[in-house]
Structures are given as C-alpha cells and as structure tokens.
Amino acid sequence: MPVLELDLQIATEETQHLPTQGQFAQWAQAALPQSGDEYEITIRIVDIEESQSLNHEYRGKDKPTNVLSFPFEAPEGIELPLLGDLVVCRQIVENEASEQKKPVLNHWAHLIIHGILHLRGYDHLNDEDAEEMESIEIDLLTLFSIPNPYLINE
C-alpha cells in the first residue's frame, strides 16, 4: 500500500458539504501504485474565480473547470516523492453531480481519482487513452461501491 502525505488546502468559502481529509486520502491512495512507495500530493479546493484564473493561465481556457492537475517534474538528479497538485473547484463538482443526478461524494471520489491518474501520466486525449483511463477509474471506484460514472443517467 502506498504511503501518502496529503496536503489538503481549503480555499473555498463554503465548506459544509466537502468530503473529509480522510475521504480525500482514501480516494487518492486508491489511485496510486499499490506499492510501499511514498507520495506527496496537494489537493486544493477552490471557488470558481481561482479555477477560472488557473484554467486560463495554464490551459488557455477562460472558464472554470472541475479539476486541474499539475504534475511535479523534479530537476534532473533530484528525487522527491512529490507527485503534484490537484486544484478542484467546489461549485463545478457540486453542479456537475446535480446535473448528472449523482451523489456529490461519488463525484468528488471520481474527480480525485481522475486527477491523481493525470498526475501519474494518464490522459484522455485520444479514444484509446480515454478508454484505458476510464477503465481504471471505473475499477477503482468499485472499491468504494461507486457505480460507473460514465453511464448515462436517463
């Protein structure tokens, strides 16, 4: 099992319905390689303004987004257990969960796992990579009894 040092930063005004630090850690740990390796991750929970600003600055998209992943790239010759940072927009997560008729905690779990996989180098830029990443997400979410998030609710 991976050893995780989680830095949880709450930078949102509304905190009443946020997952606990323990829940964030469980979801993040599930998405890490299941070895005894050490990992450091920062998860920052933000409001729309910060999400939009970061998405514009780093991705050229002038709108907020659910999760941004910032993998850490150590300088050559330096080894650190720092995997990177996730920035998650509380309002987007809550709105998407409502629109998709999903329990909000299930959506939080999905997006944390999704973001950690991005930190590990997975992406969904083409159909093959998207299928691989989604398959891993689905498998990991079943560990928490969370159904496939990609099934369309009718």
Side-chain angles (χ1 to χ4, degrees), residues 2 25 30 44-45 66 72 87 91 93 99-100 113 141 143 149:
R44 182 172 173 83
I45 310 303
N66 52 21
F72 175 71
V87 177
Q91 293 95 328
V93 173
E99 290 168 6
Q100 297 170 19
I113 288 171
L141 288 167
L143 299 173

Side-chain angles (χ1 to χ4, degrees), residues 43 55 70 72-73 77 80 100 106 108 117 142-143 146 152:
I43 297 176
N55 200 25
F70 297 97
F72 175 71
E73 296 178 23
L80 294 171
Q100 297 170 19
N106 289 7
W108 275 107
L117 291 177
T142 63
L143 299 173
I146 298 174
I152 298 172

Side-chain angles (χ1 to χ4, degrees), residues 93-105:
V93 173
E94 291 171 356
N95 292 342
E96 287 177 348
S98 177
E99 290 168 6
Q100 297 170 19
K101 297 176 178 50
K102 297 177 182 175
V104 71
L105 281 180

Side-chain angles (χ1 to χ4, degrees), residues 5-149:
E5 182 177 323
L6 176 62
D7 177 18
L8 180 61
Q9 300 176 0
I10 307 296
T12 180
E13 291 182 24
E14 174 60 50
T15 61
Q16 184 176 356
H17 301 291
L18 291 179
T20 65
Q21 176 143 353
Q23 288 170 311
F24 282 117
Q26 284 181 324
W27 301 327
Q29 232 172 358
L32 294 170
Q34 296 304 298
S35 64
D37 293 344
E38 293 182 26
Y39 297 91
E40 293 179 24
I41 298 169
T42 297
I43 297 176
R44 182 172 173 83
I45 310 303
V46 301
D47 286 324
I48 286 176
E49 184 178 306
E50 186 172 341
S51 175
Q52 182 166 340
S53 175
L54 290 169
N55 200 25
H56 183 257
E57 182 175 347
Y58 290 99
R59 297 180 64 225
K61 298 182 179 189
D62 195 18
K63 62 181 183 176
T65 189
N66 52 21
V67 62
L68 292 165
S69 301
F70 297 97
F72 175 71
E73 296 178 23
E76 191 174 325
I78 296 178
E79 288 191 37
L80 294 171
L82 184 58
L83 193 59
D85 302 341
L86 296 181
V87 177
V88 188
C89 181
R90 178 191 56 82
Q91 293 95 328
I92 299 292
V93 173
E94 291 171 356
N95 292 342
E96 287 177 348
S98 177
E99 290 168 6
Q100 297 170 19
K101 297 176 178 50
K102 297 177 182 175
V104 71
L105 281 180
N106 289 7
H107 199 46
W108 275 107
H110 178 209
L111 292 177
I112 296 303
I113 288 171
H114 182 88
I116 298 295
L117 291 177
H118 274 307
L119 293 180
R120 292 183 53 202
Y122 290 91
D123 66 47
H124 43 81
L125 298 177
N126 62 53
D127 289 343
E128 186 177 322
D129 290 343
E131 188 175 306
E132 177 185 19
M133 189 170 178
E134 289 172 11
S135 175
I136 294 168
E137 291 169 12
I138 292 163
D139 288 345
L140 292 174
L141 288 167
T142 63
L143 299 173
F144 302 99
S145 301
I146 298 174
N148 181 344

